[in-house]
Structures are given as C-alpha cells and as structure tokens.
Amino acid sequence: MTDIASSRMSLSAADAGKGASASRRQRMQQVVEKFEGMLWNEVAQAMSSVKMGPSTTGYGGQVYQRMMWRKVASQDFAGADRALTQTTLSQLMGPQAASAQSAQVSGALPAQAGSSAASPASPAISSSAPTPASDASSSDPQSWVHKIWHEIKSAAEALGVPAKALLAQAALETGWGRHATGHNLLGVKAHGGGDSFGAFTHEFQQGVMRRVRSQFQQYPSARHALQDFVSVLKSGHAQAVGQGTVSGYARALQDSGYATDPRYAAKIEAVANSPRMRQIMAAVKNSGSVTNRG
C-alpha cells in the first residue's frame, strides 16, 4: 500500500483537471495501470496461496512464485481491463478527459490473442493514419454475427475452409464483436496501403507474454477486412488454405506463424466448440439468408 499511496500523491491537481493535456493524461494512464498491476498481484497471490503451499512448491518455491506473479501482474495484466481503467480515469480526471485517454489506448483486439499477422515482406507500418471513426463493434454477439456472416461465408469459400473456423477466429480476436475497431475482425497487422491504427495487444516474445502497442490495418467495412484477410493468407500463410476442418485450419494457421500465442489454435478450436457458438450457429441457420452485409 505504500507504493500506491506514494504514486497517488504524485498526481497533481492540475493532472486531474478537466483540461489536462495529452501528456498529463498519459502519465495518469501509467499510474492507473500501475494500480491495476498491484491489484492483480494481490488477486494472484491470494489465488495461489490456496492451492500451492510449501508442500507443493518445495523450498524457496513460494518466493519464486511471488516474484513470477508480481511480474505477470505488472507487465501483462496492468491496463488490460479497459473497463477498470476507464472507470478509474473518469473518477480521477472527469468523464471528458478520461474518454479522450480511452480513445488513445483502446484497440480492436482483445489482448489474449497475441496476433502477429502481417504480409510476408514485412512492409512499413503507417503511423500517421487517423484514429478510426467507425468500427464493427457490437455488444450483442448474435447481432454482430448476423452483420458479418455473409462476408465470413464468402471469405471461407475463397479460402476453402469452414466458415465456423473464420467466425471462431474473428470471435477470439474481437471478443465476439465487442472490440472490432476499424472493422479489423481477424487481427491483421498493418502491412502498407490504406490506413492503420495503434492498439495494445499481447505478444509472446521468447515464450513470455508481453503487452505491446502495435499497428493494425484499418478497413472501411467488414467486407474489405475479410477480402484483405483472404489475400494475406494466400500470400503469406498458404498452408492454412484448403483446410477442411476447424482444427486443421487453426493448427495450420498457427504453424504458419500467423500468431505468436502458442495456444492460438487451441483457443480457436475452443471458441468453435463452445456453447455460445452452437447457439449462434443455430440462430443463423434458422434465420436463413443474411441481408445486412456489415
């Protein structure tokens, strides 16, 4: 609690003002994320103490475990809970200033995916593109699927893979449509041409998950996003093309280096076989053709 108190005391009244500058908002964001890291550390320590006592971890094991959880909480979990970040910033800075900061740090991708999709030539990233003014986000998963289903089916046919596989991947990348900024449904990194936007995501580097800021491709519609995804896969991840099963597609996609997350394929399969997917697929089937083309 000493760290929290000292961090809070470092925030000046000017930083909490309604007209705080962008740099001050950024400093406030960093402090809030530090608070979140401390909170997650306390949660993790409480969880691990229940199941992993000295008899399980051995001599010195608990010290190592505390160090590990402190690192994970501060570097990977801090700032990942956008709702908590936004609420805290709103209380400290006021709704308008907090909303401005939220617009800078929010992104299309839920951080769990760890995507690293890009063109094979690793072209230059556009960093000057404006923040996307519209997106394909939706708080209702079923409504979101209905909006993009036609494009999902078309892309799946072009790739020769199950439509459910692409839908599961899109659901994983966007949190079932909750974070589809710039109509980027499948975690495609910026690869030159068109606009791009910055967002925080999780990447695995040398086996360690890290929270990083990356540039992602921005699209005018879901149709454009999926058409580009087809091109990205055919040009740089061809071994995933023509896979007739969800598991075959997911594993080939991971093996091709599309994502850095070592469990990316398993996550796609889990989403595809989830009760929510079965419910939504049944609803889509019962509704017949989808006319709203996202």
Side-chain angles (χ1 to χ4, degrees), residues 149-184:
W149 181 243
H150 178 85
E151 280 69 32
I152 289 285
K153 282 187 16 178
S154 297
E157 291 172 2
L159 292 170
V161 303
K164 186 165 74 168
L166 288 192
L167 179 58
Q169 185 183 0
L172 174 65
E173 291 283 0
T174 66
W176 284 101
R178 289 192 298 272
H179 309 289
T181 305
H183 296 280
N184 192 323

Side-chain angles (χ1 to χ4, degrees), residues 90-194:
S90 179
Q91 292 177 349
L92 291 172
M93 304 174 65
Q96 294 182 349
S99 297
Q101 179 65 21
S102 177
Q104 293 178 11
V105 301
S106 64
L109 302 274
Q112 74 269 21
S115 298
S116 62
S119 70
S122 298
I125 292 175
S126 169
S127 60
S128 59
T131 301
S134 62
D135 57 31
S137 300
S138 173
S139 59
D140 178 15
Q142 187 166 314
S143 174
W144 173 71
V145 171
H146 275 265
K147 289 179 180 179
I148 67 171
W149 181 243
H150 178 85
E151 280 69 32
I152 289 285
K153 282 187 16 178
S154 297
E157 291 172 2
L159 292 170
V161 303
K164 186 165 74 168
L166 288 192
L167 179 58
Q169 185 183 0
L172 174 65
E173 291 283 0
T174 66
W176 284 101
R178 289 192 298 272
H179 309 289
T181 305
H183 296 280
N184 192 323
L185 303 177
L186 293 154
V188 177
K189 291 285 185 65
H191 53 75

